[in-house]
Amino acid sequence: MARDDRAAPAGRRRGFSLLLAVLALLLIVLFAGLGTWQVYRLQWKLDLIARVEARVHAAPAPVPSRTRWAGITPESDEYRRVTLHGTYLYDLTTPVQALTESGSGYWLLTPMCTADGTIVLVNRGFIPAELGARTRYTPQRVTGNPCANAGPAADVTGLLRTSERNGAFTRTNDPAQNRWYTRDVAAIAAARGLAGFHPAPFFVDAAARQNPPDSPDQPVGGLTVVKFPNSHLVYAFTWYALALMVAAAWWWVARRGNDSENDERHD
């Protein structure tokens, strides 16, 4: 009977050890898999940074023509240096709330008519909040052909940016109240009555000192932040370290269990 009494707890311990081994294996595979995924993400992020750096420092090229619009994506075109020549429609400027190194304020997005009738939104730059952009630039809609009465032309060099959407951590645009939180090209074009004139599906962040002498408010350009957080290597080390810790803990528990069984056999 004594031998049978010892066999039952020993069997339970072996079952518990097996359960721990399976759980440890699952955790090791999970943590190691997450670490490997972060290594792949690291390589992707490094490639992205290299591509963007090459675009930012490349010689500017003319803004993409309409035939290329359908193929423009953030991966292939974001932050590409471009040039633009046309006439600003200052009356249709849209102020978009911004937070920059200069403080809180607004981006001033103004449509520009090019020689071929294309309309491109240009972020002329930043003005501080105390200038009251929402009341200075009231929501207006175009009447007739916006490019019919062309004024003095201007040249712009800047960075091509794809349209922004409302995110999980941004407030929703309210065109009726002239409250804009994202540079949503389609929404701004619709609010200004430009949707029927086939505006470009992107906007251009003007570089510094690009405003003509007659430009209202002379906003500060060239404040685009081209920086991507890259913590994937830290995350990879963290996940791999957790996998090693689980393996070490399981080895320690298994060894303690074997030592206990050996002690019982000697008894």
Side-chain angles (χ1 to χ4, degrees):
M1 285 298 292
R3 185 174 300 174
D4 292 340
D5 290 342
R6 288 196 299 269
R12 285 196 296 270
R13 282 199 298 271
R14 282 193 293 271
F16 183 68
S17 297
L18 180 61
L19 179 62
L20 282 180
V22 172
L23 179 60
L25 180 60
L26 290 175
L27 289 176
I28 291 170
V29 171
L30 174 63
F31 293 150
L34 289 171
T36 302
W37 177 68
Q38 286 296 336
V39 171
Y40 282 114
R41 291 284 295 174
L42 172 64
Q43 187 58 53
W44 170 83
K45 183 62 69 65
L46 292 175
D47 291 341
L48 172 64
I49 293 173
R51 289 198 307 271
V52 170
E53 284 291 322
R55 295 172 194 167
V56 169
H57 298 293
V63 73
S65 61
R66 294 187 187 187
T67 57
R68 280 202 54 213
W69 289 358
I72 290 177
T73 64
E75 292 75 18
S76 62
D77 295 281
E78 189 87 29
Y79 301 107
R80 192 179 298 280
R81 288 187 74 202
V82 295
T83 58
L84 193 61
H85 179 81
T87 303
Y88 279 121
L89 305 175
Y90 293 118
D91 290 342
L92 300 178
T93 294
T94 299
V96 180
Q97 285 194 10
L99 182 62
T100 72
E101 59 184 14
S102 301
S104 62
Y106 296 87
W107 300 121
L108 298 184
L109 268 70
T110 304
M112 173 176 273
C113 290
T114 63
D116 63 357
T118 299
I119 297 178
V120 180
L121 278 179
V122 177
N123 176 15
R124 294 192 289 123
F126 171 84
I127 63 172
E130 53 264 27
L131 292 183
R134 283 187 56 245
T135 56
R136 292 163 68 87
Y137 295 95
T138 56
Q140 298 190 39
R141 291 179 61 87
V142 69
T143 56
N145 184 353
C147 300
N149 300 317
D155 292 302
V156 177
T157 299
L159 300 178
L160 186 149
R161 303 294 307 279
T162 52
S163 181
E164 296 176 345
R165 303 293 183 185
N166 291 324
F169 301 102
T170 58
R171 299 170 65 180
T172 302
N173 293 326
D174 186 354
Q177 298 298 320
N178 204 29
R179 296 182 184 276
W180 298 90
Y181 307 99
T182 60
R183 291 169 288 188
D184 187 331
V185 172
I188 292 174
R192 299 294 172 260
L194 297 172
F197 297 94
H198 308 291
F202 52 84
F203 65 95
V204 174
D205 269 344
R209 297 179 294 277
Q210 297 291 305
N211 284 286
D214 64 339
S215 172
D217 290 318
Q218 291 291 306
V220 179
L223 297 181
T224 307
V225 177
V226 186
K227 185 178 180 181
F228 300 94
N230 187 9
S231 301
H232 297 295
L233 186 59
V234 174
Y235 295 152
F237 279 132
T238 301
W239 290 122
Y240 284 140
L242 287 173
L244 289 174
M245 290 171 61
V246 170
W250 173 78
W251 177 82
W252 183 80
V253 171
R255 184 176 178 181
R256 287 286 302 273
N258 291 333
D259 290 344
S260 298
E261 288 187 6
N262 291 333
D263 291 342
E264 288 180 3
R265 289 193 188 99
H266 288 123
D267 291 341

